[in-house]
């Protein structure tokens, strides 16, 4: 899990609590989070689980037991931070043509 930086960011010096802070997740590799999600999803399907429910449980709780160990999926999902997985899910949803405003 990532730790918060206890030192104030130099660009935020003097800003009040109402200021918007940018949050940026660096990609560990090209579309790695997407690949991991697809592989874990497939492993959950193969074992007969409802993959969406299992992934939501993992993302909300951080408990890896929501993910099957089949095809090494439990170890694999733990190689990507949960916030990176959520970012990938949101980007995919927003960029899906059927979800764009007309």
């Amino acid at each position: 899990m990532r730790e918060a930086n206890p030192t104030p960011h130099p660009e935020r010096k003097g800003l009040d609590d109402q200021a918007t802070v940018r949050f940026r997740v660096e990609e560990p590799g090209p579309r790695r989070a997407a690949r991991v999600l697809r592989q874990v999803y497939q492993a959950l399907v193969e074992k007969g689980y409802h993959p969406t429910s299992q992934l939501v449980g993992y993302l909300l709780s951080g408990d890896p037991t929501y993910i099957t160990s089949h095809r090494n999926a439990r170890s694999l999902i733990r190689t990507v931070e949960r916030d990176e997985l959520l970012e990938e899910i949101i980007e995919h949803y927003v960029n899906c043509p059927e979800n764009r405003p007309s």
Side-chain angles (χ1 to χ4, degrees), residues 15-74:
L15 296 178
D16 61 34
D17 289 337
Q18 299 302 314
T20 300
V21 178
R22 290 183 183 251
F23 182 80
R24 185 154 174 67
V25 177
E26 299 298 323
E27 281 190 20
R31 310 295 288 181
R32 184 160 186 272
R35 285 195 313 272
V36 167
L37 281 168
R38 281 192 296 272
Q39 290 174 324
V40 170
Y41 189 97
Q42 186 59 42
L44 289 164
V45 167
E46 288 176 8
K47 289 305 282 184
Y49 294 106
H50 187 270
T52 303
S53 296
Q54 297 304 114
L55 284 165
V56 167
Y58 171 71
L59 291 169
L60 290 176
S61 71
D63 183 354
T65 60
Y66 279 98
I67 306 301
T68 181
S69 58
H70 177 65
R71 290 190 175 221
N72 207 30
R74 187 176 297 159

Side-chain angles (χ1 to χ4, degrees), residues 91-102:
E91 282 184 15
H92 179 77
Y93 178 83
V94 169
N95 292 324
C96 185
E98 62 209 36
N99 295 325
R100 291 189 184 146
S102 36

